Amino acid sequence: MKPSLPVIFASFFALVSAIVLVVCIRLPVSSLWNGYNILYAPVELDEHLVLQTLEKAGIHNVISLSKQQQPVFSSFAPVQSIVSTQQSYLNQRENYFFDRSRQVQLFYVPSTSIRQAQKAVDSLQSLPGGEASGLEGKISYPWIVLLVVFVVFGILVILSQARNFMLMSGFFPLLFTVCTPSYSGACGVILLLYSFFLCSMLWKRKEMLKTIRKNSLILLFGFAGIPITFIGSWKEGLLFVLTIFASLTMCYILEHLILKNSRGFIPVPIRSAGLVSFSSSVASFTLFIPAVAAIVLSVALLFFGYFPSDTSINGLFLPAPARYTDTMSFDTASFQDNRQNTYLEEELPSLVHYVDWVWDTLTYPYRSLHQSQVFELVSGGETLSVPLYQMNQEGIIQEEYAVVYSLDDLFISSVIDEIKEDGFQIESILKKQNCFTSVVYRRMGDFLSGGAQGQNFIFLSLFATILISLIAGIFIWRIQK
């Protein structure tokens, strides 16, 4: 029996789907900074030698201490007096390029070049005195996600009445999890696997497809995973939709194999698919498997963070943002919320201090030299005015004040926009964090986060999975009652 054209097309589609999932593999990278990873080396190593090693590895846009320049000048007063160099923003900015003990020098490498950076680290470690070099943030595989999905799949295969069907239908969801390991993706896969588990009770029965189309329980578990995976990212959602179609294709291929090997006789259960009662066949234990799996993932998320902690350099205290966000919030209100009472008590200045420094630099020509220098951050809404003298119609000279600078949303946005995101200044990293967050020294191996908003989305997907499982349980309970 030669394969028909639909079977050939289905096989080709399954092959292409597998290739797409493998090619689009997305492994999470743990990092203290959004968009950058810290490469560290002993201070005994010459900085230019480290930069040369990175350039040989193909990395040219490294942010380092020697590349820092004064980002803003006043055209009226390019040279300004500095009362205290210790509290100068430009002086404190140098702390970004050393760990807390100042025994290790730091280089900021774009996350897109992390693989080349690892090769550069290997070269540095082979140099005399460079054995302690390393890379913060590396590709970390969240094994807990893979473990939970495979355990759930194993339980469903064991409990299934059609194990061949479960194995075939579960191939692509498992491949999706391996290639795109994430909490939201795992939730979608678990719901999809349970949907196939319900379908396995109808496998090879008459009117199977008709019954599936009318069964709200199967449709609930089958399609609920689509919006959940889109919570993670639109790319992940599209790959999950492809996974669903590929899984259905595998079921079609399995049915063809059964027909091919049947030799004219196909045993069919006496009862049709419409007579199968899920309220009696589906045990409450299996109904709550997705909920239990989501609870396990929630616990793992709380204890291990967005990604498993990178403890390879545990003990180093490196600069890190105090909080994370995925939404840009550079405005006066955010500036005021993150404003400190004193100028630079912190060892690591933030973008709030940078905006304040730009303000001081630009307004310096208009301030009185006899004015006492008080190191306090400028407040949001503050203005600088200069007197203008004009003669009115009566020939009398009148004094008027014109606003030269105002610390408002427009001023802040102009300062932020001047920072080049692909530049070599440390301010470009701070801008990448999307908010006026303070910067602290964080010990490696501590909780790593991919963004506060990203965390909330993940918890939302986990909660949705638990809720769907509970709704299904209540649905079955009402049928039984």
Side-chain angles (χ1 to χ4, degrees):
M1 178 179 177
K2 295 182 179 180
S4 60
L5 185 61
V7 174
I8 296 176
F9 176 78
S11 301
F12 177 76
F13 178 77
L15 178 61
V16 171
S17 300
I19 294 175
V20 170
L21 289 177
V22 173
V23 170
C24 297
I25 184 170
R26 299 174 66 238
L27 298 181
V29 178
S30 60
S31 177
L32 290 173
W33 293 92
N34 291 334
Y36 288 87
N37 295 88
I38 299 178
L39 184 145
Y40 59 95
V43 292
E44 290 77 16
L45 278 183
D46 184 69
E47 178 187 348
H48 295 287
L49 177 60
V50 177
L51 292 175
Q52 288 177 2
T53 305
L54 289 169
E55 289 180 0
K56 288 181 180 179
I59 310 173
H60 305 285
N61 47 351
V62 179
I63 298 177
S64 64
L65 178 59
S66 62
K67 297 180 181 180
Q68 302 307 296
Q69 300 176 355
Q70 182 168 331
V72 175
F73 290 91
S74 171
S75 58
F76 293 104
V79 179
Q80 302 182 4
S81 63
I82 300 177
V83 177
S84 174
T85 57
Q86 297 299 321
Q87 288 186 306
S88 168
Y89 167 79
L90 297 180
N91 182 75
Q92 293 289 80
R93 184 178 63 169
E94 296 180 2
N95 293 334
Y96 276 94
F97 301 97
F98 299 94
D99 73 318
R100 174 177 283 179
S101 66
R102 300 189 75 85
Q103 299 298 312
V104 175
Q105 56 182 324
L106 308 178
F107 303 84
Y108 296 84
V109 180
S111 298
T112 54
S113 304
I114 189 171
R115 295 186 184 275
Q116 297 94 314
Q118 187 58 59
K119 295 180 181 179
V121 168
D122 295 337
S123 300
L124 291 173
Q125 290 175 346
S126 63
L127 297 175
E131 296 81 4
S133 302
L135 183 66
E136 167 272 329
K138 52 188 177 182
I139 296 177
S140 303
Y141 200 94
W143 294 103
I144 184 64
V145 171
L146 198 63
L147 177 63
V148 171
V149 171
F150 271 81
V151 168
V152 170
F153 180 69
I155 294 174
L156 295 180
V157 170
I158 294 174
L159 299 177
S160 175
Q161 300 175 5
R163 295 179 180 175
N164 290 336
F165 173 81
M166 279 300 302
L167 291 173
M168 288 289 285
S169 61
F171 172 78
F172 275 98
L174 293 182
L175 181 62
F176 171 83
T177 305
V178 172
C179 297
T180 312
S182 67
Y183 289 94
S184 56
C187 291
V189 166
I190 290 171
L191 292 174
L192 180 61
L193 290 175
Y194 192 76
S195 176
F196 284 127
F197 173 74
L198 297 177
C199 292
S200 68
M201 301 178 185
L202 311 178
W203 180 245
K204 294 193 298 184
R205 295 181 184 272
K206 293 181 179 179
E207 301 181 344
M208 174 183 171
L209 295 178
K210 180 180 178 181
T211 304
I212 290 176
R213 287 196 298 267
K214 294 183 178 180
N215 191 287
S216 57
L217 190 64
I218 295 178
L219 297 179
L220 173 65
F221 281 99
F223 292 101
I226 296 178
I228 287 178
T229 51
F230 272 99
I231 288 176
S233 70
W234 65 269
K235 293 181 180 179
E236 184 176 295
L238 291 178
L239 290 176
F240 183 75
V241 173
L242 176 65
T243 299
I244 294 178
F245 282 106
S247 299
L248 296 176
T249 302
M250 294 294 284
C251 296
Y252 176 79
I253 294 175
L254 175 63
E255 183 180 15
H256 170 75
L257 293 176
I258 293 176
L259 290 173
K260 182 178 179 180
N261 299 324
S262 62
R263 296 181 180 179
F265 175 74
I266 304 176
V268 178
I270 297 176
R271 291 193 302 168
S272 64
L275 298 178
V276 175
S277 175
F278 291 104
S279 60
S280 58
S281 302
V282 181
S284 58
F285 169 73
T286 61
L287 272 172
F288 294 108
I289 282 180
V292 173
I295 292 173
V296 172
L297 290 174
S298 300
V299 173
L301 180 62
L302 289 173
F303 280 91
F304 298 107
Y306 186 78
F307 301 124
S309 298
D310 177 9
T311 57
S312 58
I313 53 174
N314 192 19
L316 273 181
F317 285 83
L318 304 180
R323 65 185 180 92
Y324 300 85
T325 180
D326 297 324
T327 305
M328 184 173 291
S329 58
F330 293 122
D331 51 32
T332 308
S334 179
F335 177 87
Q336 197 66 20
D337 290 341
N338 291 274
R339 176 181 175 272
Q340 304 297 325
N341 294 326
T342 56
Y343 182 66
L344 268 180
E345 286 187 354
E346 296 83 0
E347 297 171 311
L348 295 161
S350 66
L351 268 186
V352 169
H353 300 103
Y354 175 70
V355 172
D356 176 82
W357 175 80
V358 173
W359 172 270
D360 288 341
T361 301
L362 296 179
T363 61
Y364 177 78
Y366 303 94
R367 297 199 305 268
S368 172
L369 295 177
H370 302 288
Q371 178 180 328
S372 60
Q373 297 290 336
V374 180
F375 290 99
E376 292 184 357
L377 286 171
V378 63
S379 298
E382 186 170 328
T383 60
L384 185 143
S385 304
V386 296
L388 296 178
Y389 299 93
Q390 294 182 351
M391 183 177 295
N392 59 17
Q393 295 178 353
E394 300 176 357
I396 301 175
I397 297 177
Q398 290 183 336
E399 183 182 49
E400 297 180 356
Y401 283 86
V403 176
V404 180
Y405 291 105
S406 176
L407 191 65
D408 50 16
D409 291 348
L410 182 61
F411 179 84
I412 292 176
S413 62
S414 65
V415 173
I416 300 300
D417 291 342
E418 287 296 321
I419 301 174
K420 297 180 179 180
E421 292 191 12
D422 57 347
F424 298 108
Q425 305 300 306
I426 196 65
E427 290 81 19
S428 62
I429 301 180
L430 298 176
K431 180 181 178 180
K432 195 76 173 179
Q433 310 315 303
N434 294 327
C435 63
F436 286 114
T437 178
S438 58
V439 184
V440 297
Y441 282 107
R442 178 174 295 175
R443 182 171 64 92
M444 282 311 303
D446 288 347
F447 181 83
L448 299 179
S449 174
Q453 186 174 348
Q455 288 267 5
N456 294 334
F457 284 157
I458 293 173
F459 276 116
L460 177 62
S461 64
L462 293 168
F463 175 76
T465 304
I466 297 173
L467 187 63
I468 290 171
S469 185
L470 293 178
I471 291 175
I474 295 174
F475 178 76
I476 293 297
W477 174 77
R478 292 190 64 180
I479 293 178
Q480 291 177 336
K481 187 174 180 181

